[in-house]
Amino acid sequence: MKAVALTRYLPIEDPASLEDVTLPDPTPGPRDLLVRVEAVSVNPVDAKLRAPRPQVEAMPRILGYDAAGVVEAVGSEVTLFQPGDEVYYAGDVTRPGCNAQYHLVDERLAGPKPTTLDFAEAAALPLTTITAWELLFERMPFDFDSEDNRRSLLVIGGAGGVGSIAIQLARHAGFRVVATASRPETVDWCRRLGAHDVIDHRQPLAPQLPALGLASVDAAINLADTDRYWEVLGEVLAPQGHLGLIVEPAGALRIGDPYKAKCIGMHWEFMFARPRFRTDDMVRHHQILSRVGSLVEAGELRTTLTEVLGPINAANLREAHRRMESGSTIGKLALAGWD
């Protein structure tokens, strides 16, 4: 099979940072789907795992943790899918990634691809959708099906991959959603996804909330920089509020006032936790993606794909990584098909 892989960890400008390779087709284990990959998208985890370091791999390492494709074969214990089914998933960071023509994924981590989306549109969703869903409705104590519209949520990094889906999920769950963005195109993107208000993260955040009639916010999710926004989020969060985090801090955080005084709950999200530790509830990824697929088909959620860069090959994946590392992308970038 064709694949894109690395053996050395190099800057993305180096053509050897990601290379086209040919590898044996994988064989499914008992709970595995063998998926013919039709489209993939890129995420910050891809760049993080590819970051320059001295290590050299003895065998090519395949990255990629967002895919959509068709089930080619199933393992002996698979019950959720059968050959010919179209699926989408984020997979398992402890296994080879999906930047390959054929890929193995545990059936409990995949969902039925939304019928109203093409493969690229579907591949843009899994990792960011599971991250946002788990953070808001499993780590934080909120209910997706709530009709309580008195709560407010601040989304730091609204135009990014996770922010783009979090805005939609939170709006559906009844939150008044305030997102941060700075460029006209990112402000417009956040509003089109459903943010009630957008404030400028290049300016001090706290003074911008009273202008919206908000003395504080009930919850915040920091999807950009844990250290940078630590103090201001402690200031603007309401007593007994909730803070969701996905980016590890660069240094030790000072845990105390106002977080302690306000009894602010802190919630970490890492969507690979379930597959990495083989938890008993791994099937939640299947359930979340199935529910989200139904919402997409009903027109209640939309894909966050903004551009398809071309077929899946090393040159296009390097370009996707380069754009993602620039920090200026909106929504998600995908690749579809094979040369």
Side-chain angles (χ1 to χ4, degrees):
M1 69 176 181
K2 294 180 180 179
V4 179
L6 61 81
T7 54
R8 294 179 293 159
Y9 297 86
L10 302 167
I12 198 58
E13 293 78 14
D14 192 318
S17 60
L18 292 170
E19 297 182 297
D20 294 307
V21 298
T22 301
L23 298 171
D25 293 352
T27 301
R31 297 297 298 268
D32 284 339
L33 310 177
L34 176 64
V35 177
R36 184 178 77 244
V37 174
E38 298 291 344
V40 300
S41 70
V42 295
N43 294 283
V45 66
D46 299 73
K48 181 178 178 180
L49 292 175
R50 200 214 74 250
R53 58 182 184 270
Q55 181 180 351
V56 176
E57 299 290 345
M59 298 293 294
R61 180 182 183 185
I62 304 173
L63 303 179
Y65 304 98
D66 257 338
V70 180
V71 177
E72 284 281 303
V74 299
S76 60
E77 298 178 12
V78 167
T79 60
L80 298 174
F81 298 98
Q82 60 187 2
D85 288 344
E86 296 182 350
V87 294
Y88 73 139
Y89 57 89
D92 181 348
V93 75
T94 67
R95 301 182 71 179
C98 61
N99 294 333
Q101 283 184 304
Y102 295 96
H103 183 239
L104 297 178
V105 63
D106 189 296
E107 63 166 340
R108 292 166 289 184
L109 304 179
K113 182 184 78 67
T115 58
T116 54
L117 300 183
D118 64 27
F119 286 107
E121 291 169 330
L125 287 175
L127 186 146
T128 53
T129 298
I130 295 170
T131 297
W133 186 289
E134 287 185 341
L135 185 55
L136 288 168
F137 309 120
E138 300 197 357
R139 314 300 175 223
M140 301 169 83
F142 301 119
D143 183 357
F144 178 72
D145 296 304
S146 172
E147 297 181 358
D148 183 359
N149 60 4
R150 298 169 298 174
R151 304 166 303 180
S152 55
L153 174 72
L154 176 61
V155 180
I156 304 293
V162 179
S164 295
I165 193 69
I167 289 171
Q168 298 182 72
L169 294 176
R171 175 79 182 237
H172 189 283
F175 282 94
R176 176 179 176 180
V177 182
V178 180
T180 73
S182 58
R183 293 174 286 148
E185 58 268 34
T186 55
V187 171
D188 178 65
W189 174 258
C190 290
R191 291 191 184 280
R192 285 191 286 123
L193 290 176
H196 296 85
D197 304 284
V198 183
I199 60 177
D200 189 348
H201 55 237
R202 294 182 179 174
Q203 304 298 324
L205 297 185
Q208 298 181 69
L209 292 175
L212 305 177
L214 292 170
S216 60
V217 292
D218 300 301
I221 53 175
N222 183 352
L223 310 174
D225 187 328
T226 297
D227 298 82
R228 176 183 174 187
Y229 294 102
W230 183 254
E231 291 189 7
V232 68
L233 289 176
E235 178 183 350
V236 303
L237 277 162
Q240 301 184 86
H242 295 273
L243 173 62
L245 301 167
I246 67 170
V247 180
E248 59 269 29
L253 297 179
R254 183 179 63 84
I255 308 296
D257 290 342
Y259 286 88
K260 179 181 177 182
K262 291 183 176 180
C263 289
I264 292 171
M266 290 178 54
H267 310 270
W268 285 103
E269 164 59 14
F270 181 55
M271 69 131 289
F272 291 117
R274 282 173 161 139
R276 177 181 177 183
F277 295 103
R278 313 295 295 175
T279 61
D280 291 340
D281 63 350
M282 275 175 55
V283 75
R284 282 296 295 144
H285 283 199
H286 169 75
Q287 294 165 348
I288 292 168
L289 291 174
S290 297
R291 177 75 188 278
V292 167
S294 297
L295 292 165
V296 170
E297 291 170 344
E300 297 181 44
L301 293 176
R302 55 176 282 193
T303 182
T304 56
L305 176 68
T306 53
E307 187 175 359
V308 179
L309 298 182
I312 306 167
N313 59 38
N316 288 334
L317 270 171
R318 288 196 301 270
E319 174 62 12
H321 279 232
R322 185 193 65 78
R323 292 199 198 181
M324 187 172 55
E325 289 180 347
S326 75
S328 60
T329 56
I330 301 174
K332 293 293 293 295
L333 301 172
L335 293 81
W338 295 86
D339 289 326

